[in-house]
Amino acid sequence: MATLLIRNIGLLVQTEKRRRSVVKGEDIRQLPTVSEAFLLIENDRIAAFGPMERCPERADTVLDATGRMVFPSWCDAHTHLVFAAPRDEEFVDRIRGLLYEEIAQRGGGILNSARRLRQMSEEALLESAWQRLCEVIAQGTGAIEIKSGYGLSVESELKMLRVIRRLKVLSPIPIKATFLGAHAVPEEYRTRRNDYIDLVIHQMLPRVAEEGLAEYCDVFCDRGFFTPAETERILQAAWKYGLKPRIHANELANSGGVQVGVANGALSVDHLECVGPEEIALLRDSATLPTLLPGCAFFLGIPYAPAREMLNAGLPVVLASDYNPGSAPSGRMSFVVSLACIQMKMLPEEAINAATLNGARALELEADYGSIAVGKKANLFITRPMTSVAQVPYFFGTDPVETVILNGRVWKKP
Ligand code: NIG
Ligand code: FE
């Protein structure tokens, strides 16, 4: 058995004696910590933690974390990190005044990404996605979701999902795969959108299920993309193949996405920049998680989701990066936490809960990830010298991560 001991931890963050699957209400405001702590890892799991007075004498590997904090890795439950190329021309077009939706209507946006992805080999896609995965792991992410949705044809959607499957094999962190065939209506179906929805339901879904390529099914349910009725058709078909819904909803308009997500048992409804009291009340009475993506609101210059109202209503808010080339070209979760605090007025404790334990729940990985608890996987990071959890969002331009530990071992960027 291999043991790793971290000694003299200034602050050990998000510790759990009693397991919780999600935090909300009073609990999301609390971030349990142990100061002047040790953490003992046996093989790939957390074996013990507590105050330094109880620190074991020996271990195979000993790290000293004087003046530093230890966090469970971020759990990022919404990304599109398999893509062909950046879209910085559209970024400049938006600076000049075009809107995200206008770019999409002109055949840019998601369709631009689809054109480029269709031309790219599976190998090349895998290589670039692997680089991005390593980048976010170095930034502290220890569990992640990745979507398809830039293929928009049977072959290209399957190609994307096969890339995700190969990433799962290579990856030191767990990956959950989501099929997002209904991300946009592709050019060749512009005048016959129903045929495209039929293609998603009758050609793509069966193949995705047959090859076991995804755990979840997503739809971009929003103004200019898919309607609630279309979304419902796709989600009901997905359920038949055992794919649980998690959807994009209410980013561009209050267009019924939350309602259709909740009615169809979505694990999560994501974005929620455009919601009101009605949607918040509906979420409060459901098991569907609200996943907020402030990196997108920041990058597109659109209003942020009303996180405070959601927290005050007792919702188990989740934070994720939305890493993608169009609306959030960054997977840096510490910056997402900064935005949540600075722009959405989440307290640092709330934001950290939303990006760790609640993120793990949104990945259905809370039994093994998202907190420092005995028996959970040892995926965590040691910060650079820092003295309070508030310093993580406060130093918004500096990565807090100094050392990454995955599966009980120090991880080095390949
Ligand atoms: O989550 N909103 C839909 N999908 C992505 C953006 C995709 C893109 O522009 O490439 C998002 O923001
Ligand atoms: Fe997204």
Side-chain angles (χ1 to χ4, degrees), residues 286-334:
S286 80
T288 300
L289 299 163
T291 299
L292 310 186
L293 313 167
C296 170
F298 170 74
F299 189 71
L300 294 186
I302 62 174
Y304 287 83
R308 270 282 32 110
E309 282 80 351
M310 294 180 187
L311 289 162
N312 295 345
L315 300 191
V317 169
V318 180
L319 285 170
S321 74
D322 198 17
Y323 193 178
N324 78 75
S327 71
S330 165
R332 188 188 288 274
M333 285 295 285
S334 56

Side-chain angles (χ1 to χ4, degrees), residues 182-203:
H183 198 187
V185 175
E187 250 142 13
E188 60 277 23
Y189 284 89
R190 189 179 277 265
T191 55
R192 41 190 190 110
R193 56 186 295 120
N194 279 327
D195 291 353
Y196 184 65
I197 295 164
D198 284 339
L199 186 81
V200 168
I201 292 175
H202 300 297
Q203 307 286 327

Side-chain angles (χ1 to χ4, degrees), residues 96-153:
R96 293 189 205 277
L98 275 184
L99 296 175
Y100 179 82
E101 284 177 271
E102 291 169 340
I103 292 169
Q105 278 152 15
R106 295 174 183 201
I110 295 165
L111 299 184
N112 177 358
S113 280
R115 271 192 301 277
R116 300 203 210 177
L117 184 130
R118 288 172 177 187
Q119 290 163 7
M120 206 157 149
S121 71
E122 189 178 311
E123 288 311 316
L125 273 174
L126 177 67
E127 177 52 33
S128 63
W130 169 245
Q131 294 302 330
R132 285 179 211 115
L133 184 66
C134 290
E135 171 203 352
V136 299
I137 289 172
Q139 293 165 354
T141 295
I144 198 165
E145 182 259 13
I146 308 176
K147 300 175 196 297
S148 71
Y150 292 128
L152 311 183
S153 70

